[in-house]
Amino acid sequence: MSDTAHILKKHHLRQTNCRQQMIAHFSAHSYALAHSELEQALSEFDRVTIYRTLYTFLEKGIVHKVLDDAGATRYALCAHCTEHQHHDEHVHFKCMQCQTVQCIDTISIPNIQLPQGYSYIDSNFLVRGVCRQCNQL
Amino acid sequence: MSDTAHILKKHHLRQTNCRQQMIAHFSAHSYALAHSELEQALSEFDRVTIYRTLYTFLEKGIVHKVLDDAGATRYALCAHCTEHQHHDEHVHFKCMQCQTVQCIDTISIPNIQLPQGYSYIDSNFLVRGVCRQCNQL
DNA sequence: TCCATTATGCAACATTGTTGCAAATAATGT
DNA sequence: ACATTATTTGCAACAATGTTGCATAATGGA
Ligand SMILES: [Mn+2]
Ligand SMILES: [Mn+2]
Ligand SMILES: [Zn+2]
Ligand SMILES: [Zn+2]
C-alpha cells in the first residue's frame, strides 16, 4: 500500500482522490503550504473540498497549522500527532526572501514560565529570517 | 498635551481624529485588537481608513502585529519601538476561553540556536492556554 | 452488487485585505 | 485669520480567503 493510502487508513479516513493527492503534495514539499498553493497545484478539485480536507486533516492530526505573519494560514505534515493530541512543539522558520515557511523539527520550543494563574495548552513559535539557500546567493 | 497627541507628535504624524481615537482605544484595552474590533468600536470611520492607519502605525513603530491562530491579525501598542526597528520580542498569550490575546511583556522570547546557514531577523511566540481571569471562574 | 455513510462540487455568501481617486482636512507660512 | 500645500479620508470597486447548505457522487462494508 502506498504511503498516502497508509496515512489515510491509519486515521480511519476513506481513500479519496483529493485526500491522496493532497498528502502526496505535502510529502513532496519541504515547506508549509497555504490553501491557495494547494488550490493551484490540485486544480481538478474544488476550493471547498480542499478547505474541508484541510479541516479533516487538522482534526485527525495529519497536518498542523503553521502561523505566518502574512495573513494566509499554512499547513504542514505532522510527524507524530494523533487525533487526540497534536505534538508539534517545534520552531517554524519563515524566510523573508523566498517567503517559504518551514518546520525546524530539530529545534523544539523552549519551555517558558507563564505568570501565576495562567495555564499552558500549546504554543506556536515563528522565527523570521533568511534561510540557508537564500543566504548562499 | 494629551497622551495620544504626544504619541502622534513623537512619530511626526498629523493629529487626526481617527488616529487619536485609535490610539485611545488601544490604550484603553489590555489585549490585542483585531481590525474588526476597531471597526466596530470606531464606526464613524471608514474601514479603509482604519486599515491604512494600522499600516501607518506599524511602519512608525506605534503598534506591532500579534499573530493569532484564528485568521485575523491583531495589533497592540508597542512599548519601545521606533520607526526604524521594532523591539517586541515578548511572548503573546491567547486564552482559548475568552479568546483574547495579550502581550506578556514580562516574558521575553528565549534565544534559540538556528541551524547553520540560517540568519535571524525577529520572532513571534504565541502561547495558547487559559488566562488568569478565566481560570478563576 | 447493493446500501448506508461520507465526500464532493456548486452556488451563495461572509469576512478580510487592497487600490485608485476625488474631496476634505491638517500643518505651515504669511 | 487666511491661503497654500501636502497629507488624509471616504467611497467605490475589487481580490483573496473563509464558511455553509444542499443535491449528487463515490467509498467501504454487508
Ligand atoms: Mn511544523
Ligand atoms: Mn506584544
Ligand atoms: Zn529563503
Ligand atoms: Zn481568558
Side-chain angles (χ1 to χ4, degrees):
Chain A
M1 179 163 34
S2 77
D3 268 4
T4 63
H6 179 252
I7 292 180
L8 290 174
K9 179 156 198 183
K10 192 171 72 184
H11 292 91
H12 310 101
L13 290 174
R14 290 189 177 177
Q15 309 286 336
T16 73
N17 213 256
C18 182
R19 286 171 181 169
Q20 285 170 339
Q21 292 203 221
M22 278 176 66
I23 292 180
H25 202 73
F26 274 113
S27 300
H29 292 82
S30 58
Y31 47 86
L33 300 171
H35 186 177
S36 62
E37 294 171 284
L38 288 160
E39 202 182 322
Q40 281 195 296
L42 307 177
S43 55
E44 69 253 51
F45 302 106
D46 194 83
R47 218 164 64 78
V48 178
T49 303
I50 293 174
Y51 166 76
R52 283 196 264 231
T53 303
L54 282 174
Y55 186 85
T56 303
F57 284 2
L58 268 183
E59 271 189 320
K60 294 288 183 174
I62 295 175
V63 300
H64 60 278
K65 225 182 240 201
V66 178
L67 297 193
D68 185 356
D69 57 319
T73 310
R74 291 171 181 278
Y75 304 85
L77 282 182
C78 294
H80 326 283
C81 300
T82 70
E83 180 168 1
H84 306 296
Q85 186 149 23
H86 276 273
H87 303 282
D88 302 289
E89 309 277 300
H90 53 263
V91 168
H92 291 142
F93 184 89
K94 168 157 190 174
C95 175
M96 298 314 285
Q97 198 153 331
C98 64
Q99 302 294 314
T100 62
V101 183
Q102 49 187 285
C103 300
I104 312 276
D105 295 285
T106 54
I107 306 182
S108 51
I109 294 185
N111 263 359
I112 57 144
Q113 178 76 34
L114 288 172
Q116 263 308 319
Y118 288 76
S119 53
Y120 178 96
I121 294 176
D122 61 20
S123 58
N124 208 305
F125 194 167
L126 179 71
V127 173
R128 306 198 313 161
V130 180
C131 75
R132 192 194 318 242
Q133 280 206 325
C134 291
N135 267 326
Q136 281 172 355
L137 292 186
Chain B
M1 180 161 33
S2 77
D3 267 5
T4 64
H6 180 252
I7 292 180
L8 290 175
K9 179 155 200 185
K10 192 171 72 183
H11 292 90
H12 310 100
L13 289 176
R14 292 193 176 175
Q15 309 287 334
T16 72
N17 213 256
C18 182
R19 286 172 179 167
Q20 285 171 338
Q21 291 203 220
M22 275 176 67
I23 292 181
H25 202 72
F26 273 114
S27 301
H29 291 83
S30 58
Y31 47 87
L33 300 171
H35 186 177
S36 62
E37 295 172 283
L38 288 160
E39 203 181 322
Q40 282 194 295
L42 307 176
S43 55
E44 69 254 51
F45 302 106
D46 193 82
R47 217 164 65 79
V48 178
T49 302
I50 293 174
Y51 166 76
R52 282 195 264 231
T53 302
L54 282 173
Y55 186 84
T56 303
F57 284 2
L58 268 183
E59 271 189 320
K60 294 288 181 175
I62 296 176
V63 301
H64 60 278
K65 226 182 240 201
V66 178
L67 297 193
D68 185 355
D69 57 319
T73 310
R74 292 171 180 276
Y75 304 86
L77 283 182
C78 294
H80 325 282
C81 300
T82 72
E83 180 167 1
H84 307 295
Q85 186 149 23
H86 275 274
H87 302 282
D88 302 289
E89 308 277 301
H90 54 262
V91 168
H92 291 142
F93 184 88
K94 167 157 189 175
C95 175
M96 298 314 286
Q97 198 153 331
C98 64
Q99 302 294 314
T100 62
V101 183
Q102 48 186 287
C103 300
I104 311 278
D105 297 285
T106 53
I107 306 182
S108 51
I109 295 185
N111 263 359
I112 57 143
Q113 178 77 34
L114 288 172
Q116 263 307 318
Y118 287 75
S119 53
Y120 178 97
I121 295 177
D122 60 21
S123 58
N124 208 304
F125 195 167
L126 178 70
V127 174
R128 305 198 313 160
V130 180
C131 75
R132 192 194 319 242
Q133 280 206 325
C134 290
N135 266 327
Q136 280 171 356
L137 292 185

